[in-house]
Amino acid sequence: MPYLKVLVGTDGSVGAKGAEDVAARLSAACRAPLLMVAAFEDDEQRADLVLHEAKDRASSYTSQVITRKQKGNPADVIVDVAEKAPADLIVVGNKGMTGSARFLLGSVPGRISHQTPCDLLITAGSADGSSEMPYRKMVIGTDGSETSIEAAGRGLQLAGLLGATPVMFYAGHAKTAEIVFEEVWQALKPSREFETAVANGDPADKICEIAEIQGCDLIVVGNRGMTQGRFHLGSVPNKVSHHAPRDLLIVKTVSRSVEELREGEGAILILDGEKVAAYREPGGRLYLLNPRCQHMGCTVSWNPLESTWDCPCHGSRYRSDGEVLGGPTVKPLIKLDRES
Amino acid sequence: MYRWWVFLHLVGVFGFLLTHGISVGVMFRVRHERDRERLRALLALSRASTIVVYLSMAVLVAGGILAGFAGRWWGRGWIWTSLGLLILITGAMYLLGTTFHNRISDVLGTRPSGAPVASDEEIADLLSSGRPTLIAVIGFGGLLVILWLMVFKPF
């Protein structure tokens, strides 16, 4: 399952109700508990009312609903609760992300996007309200980098779960796009084909355009460029988050630490200045492996669809604990001494 | 001392033209080159020459400034205009040239899997761009204007 605990921030507004609806349907699809959070400054009673009504609405999709209210700034409260829960998906409405309000520093989704400890879904009201699953078609942005392939993996995982059609998008030269899509395919080896789209131009503008043209109701991007402080204007996810005409899922791939790894999840991380392949098995045990393939030394990547370490160079595959699954390698990944 | 500063200034000019000629040659050569290894070698050659280019520029600017004081030219407009033009041209060429150079370096890279970062077609499109010509027009044209100012000292 892509998500084990979904958190939605709500203030009872129309946008927040849209976010609640999407979060409830996603948590039902993932069979994950739904944590509904409301922040308050002085009016605690209003927060209680908002949560009571929100829980009622969510109960039509899922019975695993928990509510929490906390005093403080909404963005800080949501991030704080998400860290402690711990949640692996935050869902919020896009209030303050568009129009003149987007230039105001401090919009809730804007602040969360730079501090979030997990994936972030910003709803714009594009989800399909008529069906059980919120999304029928999603566009996934990739530039062929390791982090974007990781984000693409999460997008494909979600598409598979929801029965949505994935469209892989690359902004750039059409011939280079063929190389990139092949990279994504080789790294993830998805069980079903994905559609592709290519456009030359600004990646943020083009992915939004493609989402409209292709009738996609969700845009998926990685969070690279969003962790260098909120003033790092110009990064693709930052720009998309302010202009997206559709719901936007920002997959957290950068600035992840070993502590942020969920059970059943692996990732290439930097630990003490060194690249490690880290996997946390259900039960919590953490494996730290040397990410160099034992065949020719390429760096393996985590395949979230198969829960394996795959070498993009010659196709060697390893189990999540580093043992050989398929050649040409004959030796397992080297286990590092620093296990916790 | 005036003639010695002018001499120093001209030594800097000769050094600059000689070493910058390497980058100019590379910039026009890459337009017709499609072999990735040769392209990388050409870029490395251009990169290696830049330190001497900047050293030569430092000598020509220092010599020119000192000659300006020795010859009491700083009350005239032509020397300020020349210096201002030199700064503008250097800035423009640095921006245009460096971004072009870096973009070529990026597309010649290799992904961790061994696959190229960019396709041959994308590289060909990039190398066929009009950027080198634009840079040459700015550089050569700008230097001609500075030369005219220094020879004719019109104001």
Side-chain angles (χ1 to χ4, degrees):
Chain A
M1 290 297 169
Y3 300 112
L4 301 176
K5 190 175 275 181
V6 178
L7 181 154
V8 61
T10 182
D11 59 3
S13 63
V14 170
K17 285 177 185 167
E20 289 169 26
D21 180 76
V22 168
R25 287 193 278 162
L26 274 178
S27 71
C30 296
R31 292 188 215 112
L34 175 64
L35 178 54
M36 310 189 92
V37 176
F40 66 92
E41 289 292 346
D42 302 309
D43 197 352
E44 190 172 348
Q45 276 188 326
R46 186 169 185 280
D48 285 328
L49 180 63
V50 163
L51 286 173
H52 179 75
E53 289 174 353
K55 185 173 179 178
D56 268 346
R57 287 189 291 269
S59 300
S60 58
Y61 295 107
T62 174
S63 56
Q64 300 182 77
V65 181
I66 310 155
T67 57
R68 191 156 310 160
K69 62 181 178 197
Q70 187 166 306
K71 190 175 166 74
N73 172 283
D76 296 337
V77 163
I78 288 170
V79 170
D80 184 54
V81 173
E83 280 172 345
K84 289 176 178 152
D88 37 42
L89 174 67
I90 295 174
V91 183
V92 290
N94 71 339
K95 188 168 72 173
M97 293 297 288
T98 58
S100 57
R102 74 183 188 270
F103 298 108
L104 294 173
L105 296 174
S107 81
V108 172
R111 286 179 61 175
I112 294 174
S113 64
H114 292 283
Q115 303 169 52
T116 177
C118 58
D119 293 0
L120 173 66
L121 175 59
I122 303 174
T123 62
S126 63
D128 182 358
S130 61
S131 74
E132 206 175 303
M133 296 300 177
Y135 303 112
R136 288 165 293 115
K137 198 170 187 184
M138 58 178 69
V139 59
I140 304 169
T142 182
D143 59 5
S145 62
E146 282 180 37
T147 53
S148 80
I149 289 176
E150 195 182 328
R154 184 68 52 79
L156 288 173
Q157 223 181 356
L158 194 60
L161 179 72
L162 301 178
T165 303
V167 179
M168 204 66 60
F169 168 72
Y170 174 74
H173 199 281
K175 285 292 182 186
T176 303
E178 291 177 15
I179 298 172
V180 170
F181 295 142
E182 181 61 23
E183 285 279 291
V184 172
W185 185 267
Q186 290 300 330
L188 299 175
K189 294 184 180 58
S191 55
R192 50 189 278 218
E193 303 241 348
F194 47 76
E195 294 179 16
T196 59
V198 185
N200 236 326
D202 181 81
D205 292 339
K206 291 300 170 186
I207 198 172
C208 293
E209 249 177 62
I210 291 293
E212 295 223 50
I213 292 168
Q214 298 242 2
C216 299
D217 38 33
L218 177 67
I219 298 172
V220 181
V221 294
N223 76 326
R224 190 171 61 177
M226 297 214 72
T227 57
Q228 295 166 31
R230 73 172 71 149
F231 300 106
H232 186 70
L233 301 172
S235 77
V236 172
N238 191 50
K239 283 173 75 176
V240 174
S241 65
H242 288 285
H243 296 100
R246 302 286 184 267
D247 290 7
L248 172 68
L249 174 63
I250 304 174
V251 177
K252 179 152 185 171
T253 59
V254 176
S255 288
R256 283 169 61 189
S257 63
V258 157
E259 288 72 31
E260 289 174 347
L261 272 183
R262 299 170 300 164
E263 291 183 4
E265 188 183 28
I268 301 291
L269 305 171
I270 303 294
L271 196 60
D272 298 330
E274 202 184 313
K275 237 185 216 182
V276 300
Y279 170 71
R280 191 180 294 283
E281 70 174 6
R285 186 183 174 189
L286 183 69
Y287 290 92
L288 294 175
L289 308 161
N290 186 320
R292 283 171 62 87
C293 177
Q294 291 293 294
H295 176 233
M296 295 288 279
C298 296
T299 302
V300 297
S301 55
W302 175 250
N303 183 338
L305 301 177
E306 305 275 334
S307 294
T308 55
W309 297 106
D310 298 349
C311 176
C313 290
H314 304 102
S316 296
R317 299 187 73 199
Y318 304 85
R319 285 199 329 235
S320 49
D321 61 358
E323 295 301 316
V324 176
L325 199 55
T329 185
V330 293
K331 292 188 214 167
L333 293 175
I334 297 171
K335 287 182 174 49
L336 300 176
D337 286 337
R338 290 168 296 171
E339 256 183 51
S340 56
Chain B
M1 279 306 290
Y2 173 70
R3 284 192 291 183
W4 279 109
W5 297 133
V6 171
F7 178 73
L8 183 70
H9 177 64
L10 290 173
V11 164
V13 170
F14 278 130
F16 171 78
L17 290 175
L18 203 64
T19 51
H20 197 39
I22 297 171
S23 300
V24 175
V26 165
M27 200 168 57
F28 281 100
R29 180 70 187 89
V30 297
R31 300 183 76 181
H32 307 287
E33 185 56 72
R34 294 294 177 264
D35 182 277
R36 289 169 189 253
E37 282 309 317
R38 285 207 288 262
L39 280 166
R40 287 190 194 103
L42 284 166
L43 292 182
L45 176 65
S46 176
R47 222 176 288 125
S49 73
T50 51
I51 292 191
V52 187
V53 168
Y54 288 126
L55 278 173
S56 302
M57 275 196 75
V59 169
L60 83 87
V61 169
I65 289 173
L66 291 167
F69 281 113
R72 292 192 174 86
W73 292 117
W74 287 108
R76 299 282 300 276
W78 67 266
I79 193 170
W80 288 102
T81 308
S82 302
L83 188 60
L85 264 177
L86 181 66
I87 293 169
L88 276 173
I89 293 165
T90 304
M93 291 180 74
Y94 176 81
L95 278 170
L96 291 170
T98 306
T99 50
F100 185 63
H101 197 279
N102 289 343
R103 182 76 189 116
I104 299 175
S105 290
D106 287 344
V107 298
L108 289 176
T110 311
R111 298 175 189 274
S113 65
V117 164
S119 60
D120 291 340
E121 290 81 359
E122 183 173 356
I123 292 173
D125 284 353
L126 176 64
L127 296 177
S128 310
S129 85
R131 183 69 68 93
T133 307
L134 174 64
I135 296 172
V137 164
I138 292 172
F140 188 66
L143 283 179
L144 270 185
V145 173
I146 292 174
L147 183 63
W148 177 78
L149 284 168
M150 294 180 74
V151 169
F152 294 99
K153 299 179 175 59
F155 51 86

